[in-house]
Amino acid sequence: MADHITTVYVGNLTCKADETAMRSVFETCGQVLQVSLAGKQDHRAIFAFVRFADASSARTALAMDGLQVGEFPIKVSLAKNNLNDPMAAARLG
């Protein structure tokens, strides 16, 4: 597991999900710095990226995988890169 990753991918969210709801769910894992929702609101499900203050919180959030949030069980995994991380490109290159 990458020790520097502070962002998780959250899939299978209901299209009714919003930033406030995502913060509420994931703040139980640690300090949430950013929530970015993506996907088309007219689709059945959308996805999000949740960035935490530290990698430990992101790893704790992995336990949320399969949790029923709204209409669907969510999918949670570590993101490949951190949100707003200028060093991500350097690590990839």
Side-chain angles (χ1 to χ4, degrees), residues 3 9 16 22 33 43-44 51-52 64 74:
D3 291 336
Y9 163 85
K16 298 172 189 165
M22 290 297 91
L33 298 180
H43 283 82
R44 179 184 80 86
R51 183 169 61 110
F52 291 93
M64 299 281 206
I74 60 173

Side-chain angles (χ1 to χ4, degrees), residues 2 13-14 16-17 22 24 30 35 43 45 47 52-53 66 68 71 78:
L13 292 171
T14 175
K16 298 172 189 165
M22 290 297 91
S24 175
V35 174
H43 283 82
F47 62 96
F52 291 93
Q68 187 83 17
E71 302 168 42
L78 286 177

Side-chain angles (χ1 to χ4, degrees), residues 4 18 25 38 43 46 61 64 93:
H4 66 277
D18 62 21
V25 168
H43 283 82
I46 60 173
M64 299 281 206

Side-chain angles (χ1 to χ4, degrees), residues 27-87:
E27 282 179 339
T28 63
C29 301
Q31 181 184 5
V32 174
L33 298 180
Q34 181 180 1
V35 174
S36 294
L37 294 166
K40 296 183 179 181
Q41 294 295 325
D42 60 342
H43 283 82
R44 179 184 80 86
I46 60 173
F47 62 96
F49 290 97
V50 178
R51 183 169 61 110
F52 291 93
D54 55 70
S56 175
S57 297
R59 287 190 301 274
T60 299
L62 296 177
M64 299 281 206
D65 187 55
L67 179 73
Q68 187 83 17
V69 176
E71 302 168 42
F72 313 118
I74 60 173
K75 298 176 183 177
V76 182
S77 61
L78 286 177
K80 293 179 181 172
N81 294 300
N82 290 320
L83 288 175
N84 297 330
D85 182 358
M87 295 305 294

